Amino acid sequence: MRIKRFARYVFSRPFREGGFLKSVFRFPLFVSQWRAFRKQSKMPVRFADWYPCLHDASETTPFDPHYFFQSAWAARKISKATPTRHVDIGSQIDLIAPLSAFVKIEFVDLRPLQVSLKGLTSTRGSILQLPYTNRSVKSLSCLHVVEHIGLGRYGDALNPDGTKEACHELQR
């Protein structure tokens, strides 16, 4: 089982990320560079350490503009509002980590984040039953979450009205 999981990790991820045909053409270069690196290294370089990144050699740094600008927008809004506490419901952790440098962050998710970071607490909770009393949260974010509620994707129950119910709970 371990070998199967390793093979799936090594071979499927890079082929999904940059498109199958591009990956097929770039894979031989990766193997060639790995062999050259192995010859030059004074330390053992094992096949088990493979981590093919076939699409990183680019002219510019790639990014998803949608998430990049969304996080920048949210951070600016929260910074300008200067709350003493900010609650985030299931948004990207790449957003909440830097926010914790200047505001106390409470992160609520079905899958709590298990990390120790000053200014950040994580709580297991459902967007359909948030652990807060009515109108007690002054600063709240929930970016790209509600449209996934009820699909069962993150361990939540199937619920065709999940998005609607999540919006009502956030409004509460």
Side-chain angles (χ1 to χ4, degrees):
M1 184 63 174
R2 232 172 121 185
I3 293 171
K4 187 177 179 181
R5 189 174 34 216
F6 172 74
R8 191 175 341 164
Y9 169 75
V10 166
F11 294 109
S12 70
R13 183 188 57 80
F15 285 84
R16 273 194 323 267
E17 289 178 357
F20 184 77
L21 282 177
K22 274 186 181 177
S23 297
V24 166
F25 287 110
R26 291 181 180 182
F27 193 73
L29 175 62
F30 166 77
V31 172
S32 172
Q33 289 176 328
W34 180 77
R35 284 182 177 153
F37 183 86
R38 187 176 179 185
K39 283 181 183 176
Q40 294 173 23
S41 178
K42 292 179 174 127
M43 294 177 58
V45 178
R46 304 170 308 158
F47 178 76
D49 294 329
W50 266 28
Y51 190 84
C53 296
L54 305 178
H55 307 284
D56 288 351
S58 58
E59 292 290 321
T60 61
T61 300
F63 69 100
D64 182 332
H66 185 77
Y67 289 104
F68 178 82
F69 289 111
Q70 169 189 269
S71 293
W73 171 84
R76 284 175 171 80
K77 291 288 188 182
I78 295 164
S79 175
K80 186 175 180 181
T82 63
T84 56
R85 173 186 87 153
H86 179 79
V87 175
D88 181 88
I89 314 298
S91 299
Q92 283 188 305
I93 58 173
D94 294 350
L95 167 67
I96 63 167
L99 288 177
S100 70
F102 64 88
V103 63
K104 288 181 184 174
I105 300 289
E106 292 177 25
F107 179 68
V108 179
D109 198 302
L110 278 175
R111 308 159 306 159
L113 181 62
Q114 294 185 342
V115 67
S116 178
L117 182 64
K118 186 177 178 184
L120 174 65
T121 57
S122 181
T123 305
R124 180 183 308 276
S126 169
I127 192 172
L128 299 176
Q129 282 187 306
L130 293 171
Y132 302 104
T133 59
N134 290 351
R135 304 205 186 283
S136 63
V137 178
K138 304 289 185 219
S139 183
L140 175 79
S141 57
C142 182
L143 306 174
H144 283 290
V145 176
V146 295
E147 67 270 25
H148 299 275
I149 305 305
L151 300 178
R153 183 174 169 188
Y154 300 104
D156 56 322
L158 294 176
N159 178 354
D161 293 325
T163 297
K164 185 177 174 181
E165 291 175 16
C167 288
H168 286 297
E169 180 65 359
L170 289 171
Q171 186 179 20
R172 179 183 68 81

